[in-house]
Amino acid sequence: MRISEKETVTLKKTSDEQIVFRTCPLCEAGCGLAVTVVDDEVTHIRGDMQDVFSKGFICPKGSTLKQLHYDADRLRHPLIKRNGVHVQATWDEAWAAVDAGLNGVITKHGRESVGAYLGNPGAHGLSSMTFNSVFLKSLGSRQIYSASSVDQVPKQVASGYLFGSPSTVAVPDLDRTQYLLILGANPYDSNGSLCTAPDFPGRLEALQARAGKIVVVDPRKSKTAQHADEWIAIRPGTDALFLAAIANTLAADGLEVMDQRLGSFLNGVDEVVLALQPFTPEFVAETTGVDAQTIRRIAHELRGASSSAVYARIGTTTTAFGTTASWLVDVVNIFTGNLDRVGGAMFPLPVAGSANTRGAGGSGKGFRTGRGHSRVSKHPEVLGEYPASAMAEEISTPGDGQIRAMVIVGGNPILSTPNGERLAKSFADLEFMVSVDIYLNETSRFADVILPVPSALQRSHYDLALLTFAVRNVANYSKPVLSRSANEPDEWEVLAKMSSIVSGLGVETSPSTIDDRVISKLVESATKDSSSSIFGRDCEEIISELSVAGRRGPDRILDFLLRTGPFGDGFGSVRDGLTLDKLIAAPHGIDFGALEPRLPNILRTQSGKIELAVPQLIGDLKRLEVFCQEKIDATQLTLVGRRDLRSHNSWLHNIEVLVKGKDRCTLHIHPNDATRLGITQGSAVRITSRVGNVDAPVEITELIREGVVSLPHGWGHSMPGTKTKVASSRAGVNSNILTDEQRLDPLSGTSVLNGIPVSVAVV
Ligand SMILES: Nc1nc2c(c(=O)[nH]1)N[C@H]1C(S)=C(S)[C@@H](COP(=O)(O)OP(=O)(O)OC[C@H]3O[C@@H](n4cnc5c(=O)[nH]c(N)nc54)[C@H](O)[C@@H]3O)O[C@H]1N2
Ligand SMILES: Nc1nc2c(c(=O)[nH]1)N[C@H]1C(S)=C(S)[C@@H](COP(=O)(O)OP(=O)(O)OC[C@H]3O[C@@H](n4cnc5c(=O)[nH]c(N)nc54)[C@H](O)[C@@H]3O)O[C@H]1N2
Ligand code: SF4
Ligand SMILES: [Mo]
């Protein structure tokens, strides 16, 4: 039947069309979406023009929350593995199986025999941000792993040492800086990381429009490098040296650019200057592949600009000197006088609070690692975890404390962590595994039970984690767009149930019992904290105020965090302060303004100063010096990663509109290397590293440094036992078959994912 235009209009009028505003939870940018819903069905998603932070910007992934919701492969029911095949089960059956599986292993081998891996979506979910830790606490095992140790831990460790808390990360003041030095980040494709800034590209273009300068340090001429004013093609894994030489130059030029205010917050400047003495631009030039003159010029430009900021990400953190490089970023920002200064590197004031807004400001307990060591390789504990790289050996090495069961929450470590083949073998040997995941994929196929969670559109949202790294202080709450059936428990309910199972409370205990305990503990500790706005108040009164209109779970916790946060109403003690109700009444979010200086209140070091010269970091400079003197093999190819705007880690490849078109899982290689190796455009090559090999098609391109090849991660969807039809038809290869689990940054336990020695040959 053809519907005439007039009839369509009538149809629209009678149908229940609504536009619901919400934040995209996929990446760190957190763009505002305007979701058109007709009769409980999403018809269209576009950018929310009125969003206070993103102002209409979205990338091609944002609108695919719709496709993701309707994806036939997305799991709606629990799966249980029977005779090697996953079959649909009821929630009661699934819980019984999880209870028997996990408690069976705990009874037989103890709590340490259950490990957990928490994946990246956990940082983007309100449920996971509030209940993952509840589950881990109930589990009581030290065998905890996460995506953090294949990502940002080095920055957190460096920040922890410097400022006293690992959540105190200085971000570039993007909208006001006049000079931005970017290392190992490609925000034109990634939309930014540890620097929450929707429309990062637009903000960079605005920087250039106000006559500022952008310099990108990257072995690839990434999209960001192509838009920048200058590209510096560094050799992979050498950013710490490059930054050390910049800092060395700045010190040699004199540190009077640090004003008295900043100077008064610093401990250890002289020690750092002394320790950096060997790292002259000439000393590092050959190893970094950047000539001394360029390094000196960049140092002078950073110092001479009316404001400047250094910003570094994945290409610097996932290297053997990740922590030291991250530390040197802040050393340079300090040596140019730009830390905690408008236009420099600044500290956000998160609206829902964070470790650096709670307790008495100005000093604290400080930060340390190494509270315990991993069983097999003796890696130090960092942020309550062991390195993801150590997971396989902890599972496959017999002995006391061997991991016999794994819980994976929102993670796909087979594709995301080093030596995926070894990890897959170890997962196959587990006595029991449970995945909380929305797909039957490369990792969850090993699970005895898969517990699905509702789609993002069925859940409320607030970016508890990412807004602590935002370039403006903003708050934005999203209500669920679509309803859930009784058979679709929210993610927090799944996590709370797991928590009651492993804590011994029993499978019958309801999530709301766990939830009540969580909120009671939170409120109680705030009422005992003399710096809290609810110090000395009655717990019951606060809890009953929080529970109005039956508010429960993460939303109730969020209300508590907002109201006791730096802009909160303090439950009546601050007039016009923020509450969740007020935020709900502002569907496009609330902007609390540009970043403001936060020193010294933000500090949580024991001394109450920025500890510039902690022994661990100063000590690592020796290792860096030795590394710089190693002989360079000019014929050795090194592998780096890359991200694509239409792809997201390992799991958006089942969305047809995102993966259609050209093959994205290709090996980039420089024309000179291709010629030398007899490789022609499009031919298939075998890439071999110490731990494995994969075959991929080649793209010969000038946009990469000679001697460097690049393959994106998160692909390799051809494994048996998965159910992702679209992804399997465009499988690509798993680049983490090549990354080496034995190479990591010793200070943070973070895997080396960039700068892998490989050989490449025509198949
Ligand atoms: N070689 C190389 N490897 C890398 C990187 C690199 O640059 N190079 N990058 C690293 C980085 S930065 C990261 S963050 C990691 C990411 O690696 P992982 O932590 O493994 O995360 P993802 O690949 O995003 O996989 C997410 C999983 O969660 C599921 N999922 C999606 N949404 C939800 C949800 O709402 N709830 C739950 N419970 N599950 C959900 C997906 O189906 C998928 O199985 O990869 C790392 N690996
Ligand atoms: N479209 C899309 N967006 C994403 C993701 C995604 O998978 N796809 N993932 C999200 C996640 S989990 C994260 S953590 C962020 C990451 O966000 P970014 O840090 O911006 O990550 P990439 O885009 O991988 O950019 C890293 C850059 O480092 C370069 N590089 C590699 N080795 C070196 C080196 O030794 N030195 C230097 N200086 N550069 C090097 C690479 O060539 C690459 O251009 O992106 C997030 N956003
Ligand atoms: S940039 Fe990130 S947050 Fe914004 S629409 Fe794309 S995926 Fe979503
Ligand atoms: Mo990440």
Side-chain angles (χ1 to χ4, degrees):
M1 185 184 75
R2 265 195 86 217
I3 306 175
S4 74
E5 223 171 80
K6 204 164 147 219
E7 277 164 334
T8 319
V9 171
T10 335
L11 271 179
K12 265 208 182 119
K13 274 202 188 127
T14 53
S15 65
D16 167 31
E17 177 177 306
Q18 281 188 66
I19 295 183
V20 187
F21 300 98
R22 66 163 296 127
T23 307
C24 174
L26 291 175
C27 88
E28 297 179 42
C31 302
L33 306 176
V35 184
T36 307
V37 185
V38 181
D39 301 330
D40 214 29
E41 193 167 329
V42 171
T43 58
H44 195 67
I45 300 181
R46 55 191 168 76
D48 172 10
M49 302 303 290
Q50 296 169 77
D51 184 278
V52 294
F53 204 14
S54 60
K55 304 197 162 94
F57 175 85
I58 56 166
C59 85
K61 297 183 292 301
S63 65
T64 65
L65 287 183
K66 175 185 146 184
Q67 285 86 339
L68 194 57
H69 178 80
Y70 295 109
D71 183 354
D73 286 336
R74 185 174 63 79
L75 303 178
R76 272 100 167 150
H77 306 275
L79 298 180
I80 296 183
K81 202 186 247 182
R82 293 200 189 346
N83 304 320
V85 182
H86 283 99
V87 295
Q88 191 174 317
T90 66
W91 280 97
D92 284 343
E93 289 166 339
W95 288 129
V98 172
D99 187 20
L102 288 181
N103 284 323
V105 169
I106 290 173
T107 308
K108 236 181 2 185
H109 307 288
R111 293 199 167 266
E112 291 297 310
S113 63
V114 182
Y117 173 89
L118 308 179
N120 171 274
H124 299 259
L126 183 55
S127 279
S128 41
M129 280 302 296
T130 45
F131 280 84
N132 271 352
S133 57
V134 174
F135 167 68
L136 292 184
K137 203 145 190 232
S138 303
L139 181 60
S141 166
R142 279 167 299 180
Q143 292 283 12
I144 306 304
Y145 304 84
S146 85
S148 290
S149 57
V150 281
D151 191 346
Q152 84 292 349
V153 178
K155 187 69 199 173
Q156 293 191 274
V157 170
S159 298
Y161 286 139
L162 283 166
F163 311 120
S165 161
S167 47
T168 302
V169 171
V171 304
D173 187 13
L174 265 193
D175 298 338
R176 294 180 291 186
T177 194
Q178 284 302 109
Y179 191 102
L180 185 62
L181 175 65
I182 300 179
L183 304 99
N186 179 18
Y188 269 83
D189 280 316
S190 71
N191 281 298
S193 181
L194 288 190
C195 175
T196 302
D199 194 14
F200 207 125
R203 291 171 199 267
L204 292 180
E205 279 149 31
L207 193 171
Q208 290 170 314
R210 60 179 182 265
K213 179 170 178 179
I214 300 169
V215 178
V216 172
V217 179
D218 196 311
R220 296 186 314 115
K221 192 167 187 180
S222 65
K223 231 188 275 170
T224 307
Q226 291 169 48
H227 280 88
D229 301 280
E230 184 175 349
W231 171 45
I232 297 176
I234 196 166
R235 280 189 58 235
T238 67
D239 296 79
L241 285 172
F242 175 82
L243 289 162
I246 299 257
N248 168 294
T249 306
L250 292 167
D253 287 353
L255 295 178
E256 63 284 348
V257 283
M258 296 191 305
D259 62 12
Q260 253 218 307
R261 177 180 172 271
L262 181 57
S264 72
F265 302 132
L266 302 174
N267 255 355
V269 175
D270 294 343
E271 280 121 292
V272 175
V273 170
L274 188 70
L276 286 172
Q277 262 174 10
F279 299 93
T280 60
E282 285 73 18
F283 178 67
V284 308
E286 194 190 345
T287 308
T288 57
V290 186
D291 62 83
Q293 219 182 335
T294 302
I295 297 175
R296 268 207 184 86
R297 177 174 54 79
I298 297 293
H300 293 152
E301 288 177 8
L302 281 165
R303 190 177 192 260
S306 58
S307 62
S308 71
V310 185
Y311 164 65
R313 264 314 264 130
I314 278 288
T316 62
T317 52
T318 54
T319 65
F321 293 94
T323 305
T324 294
S326 301
W327 165 59
L328 289 167
V329 166
D330 285 325
V331 169
V332 171
N333 283 326
I334 289 167
F335 281 9
T336 62
N338 277 293
L339 186 77
D340 199 39
R341 177 174 176 252
V342 170
M346 301 190 77
F347 301 105
L349 181 61
V351 179
S354 82
N356 67 43
T357 66
R358 285 191 276 272
S363 65
K365 285 201 198 125
F367 172 78
R368 67 192 184 99
T369 65
R371 293 165 300 182
H373 288 79
S374 69
R375 188 177 63 100
V376 182
S377 289
K378 310 293 174 216
H379 296 297
E381 162 278 345
V382 178
L383 301 173
E385 299 177 8
Y386 294 128
S389 279
M391 238 180 329
E393 65 181 24
E394 290 292 333
I395 297 170
S396 57
T397 311
D400 219 22
Q402 179 183 8
I403 297 181
R404 318 283 185 136
M406 279 298 291
V407 178
I408 313 263
V409 184
N412 194 358
I414 298 292
L415 297 191
S416 326
T417 69
N419 201 344
E421 282 186 334
R422 181 175 180 197
L423 188 62
K425 283 197 192 94
S426 74
F427 278 1
D429 287 341
L430 286 166
E431 284 178 30
F432 186 73
M433 177 166 146
V434 51
S435 273
V436 180
D437 208 291
I438 57 174
Y439 284 112
L440 173 49
N441 64 15
E442 298 73 22
T443 296
S444 61
R445 72 198 162 112
F446 289 105
D448 297 281
V449 183
I450 307 178
L451 305 170
V453 299
S455 88
L457 292 175
Q458 294 170 293
R459 292 188 263 163
S460 63
H461 184 68
Y462 183 97
D463 257 320
L464 272 184
L466 288 335
L467 285 174
T468 64
F469 309 116
V471 299
R472 290 184 73 83
N473 296 319
V474 295
N476 211 329
Y477 172 80
S478 313
K479 285 199 273 192
V481 175
L482 299 173
S483 56
R484 284 185 288 121
S485 74
N487 244 333
E488 295 174 288
D490 203 347
E491 184 153 17
W492 76 268
E493 294 173 296
V494 172
L495 293 163
K497 190 67 132 180
M498 303 248 294
S499 176
S500 39
I501 288 175
V502 295
S503 67
L505 282 173
V507 68
E508 299 303 328
T509 305
S510 79
S512 65
T513 306
I514 303 287
D515 179 37
D516 286 341
R517 289 181 181 203
V518 171
I519 196 74
S520 294
K521 279 224 173 93
L522 278 173
V523 172
E524 196 189 310
S525 90
T527 55
K528 286 183 183 157
D529 170 4
S530 60
S531 56
S532 166
S533 56
I534 58 166
F535 176 59
R537 297 272 297 269
D538 177 52
C539 288
E540 286 313 311
E541 175 207 320
I542 301 281
I543 291 172
S544 67
E545 215 178 303
L546 281 168
S547 310
V548 285
R551 190 169 281 155
R552 286 288 181 282
D555 286 0
R556 179 167 62 170
I557 296 172
L558 175 65
D559 192 22
F560 168 77
L561 295 174
L562 293 171
R563 296 179 76 172
T564 53
F567 302 92
D569 81 334
F571 291 84
S573 63
V574 182
R575 255 185 79 184
D576 296 329
L578 187 66
T579 64
L580 180 55
D581 284 331
K582 280 194 185 160
L583 197 53
I584 289 172
H588 310 289
I590 298 178
D591 181 16
F592 291 88
L595 305 188
E596 286 173 22
R598 286 197 63 197
L599 284 172
N601 190 276
I602 194 166
L603 297 175
R604 294 294 185 277
T605 50
Q606 288 179 1
S607 60
K609 298 271 164 119
I610 298 173
E611 290 295 354
L612 220 48
V614 285
Q616 289 87 338
L617 296 166
I618 295 286
D620 204 39
L621 290 178
K622 277 275 162 263
R623 187 172 66 101
L624 188 63
E625 196 180 335
V626 171
F627 163 70
C628 192
Q629 287 157 310
E630 279 170 17
K631 212 177 135 35
I632 297 169
D633 175 0
T635 61
Q636 177 66 61
L637 289 174
T638 52
L639 175 75
V640 300
R642 69 174 186 272
R643 280 174 165 76
D644 183 283
L645 186 60
R646 304 182 75 86
S647 166
H648 194 71
N649 292 335
S650 74
W651 68 279
L652 273 190
H653 298 152
N654 210 47
I655 308 295
E656 180 72 38
V657 288
L658 290 176
V659 292
K660 69 179 185 200
K662 64 168 189 168
D663 189 356
R664 288 177 173 84
C665 188
T666 58
L667 186 80
H668 285 184
I669 190 166
H670 189 274
N672 294 352
D673 292 320
T675 308
R676 183 166 56 84
L677 297 167
I679 293 168
T680 51
Q681 191 72 281
S683 60
V685 293
R686 177 151 304 162
I687 312 143
T688 306
S689 75
R690 185 189 77 85
V691 299
N693 63 71
V694 297
D695 294 348
V698 146
E699 256 181 88
I700 300 173
T701 169
E702 301 264 359
L703 302 175
I704 194 162
R705 187 190 156 86
E706 210 176 321
V708 181
V709 290
S710 164
L711 190 67
H713 78 284
W715 298 86
H717 305 297
S718 55
M719 299 176 193
T722 62
K723 186 172 171 280
T724 50
K725 193 160 162 258
V726 177
S728 305
S729 71
R730 293 161 181 276
V733 294
N734 178 6
S735 73
N736 280 315
I737 284 176
L738 300 169
T739 49
D740 187 340
E741 83 281 15
Q742 289 182 8
R743 295 190 64 213
L744 28 80
D745 167 29
L747 295 186
S748 69
T750 302
S751 308
V752 175
L753 303 175
N754 284 292
I756 310 296
V758 290
S759 61
V760 175
V762 179
V763 185

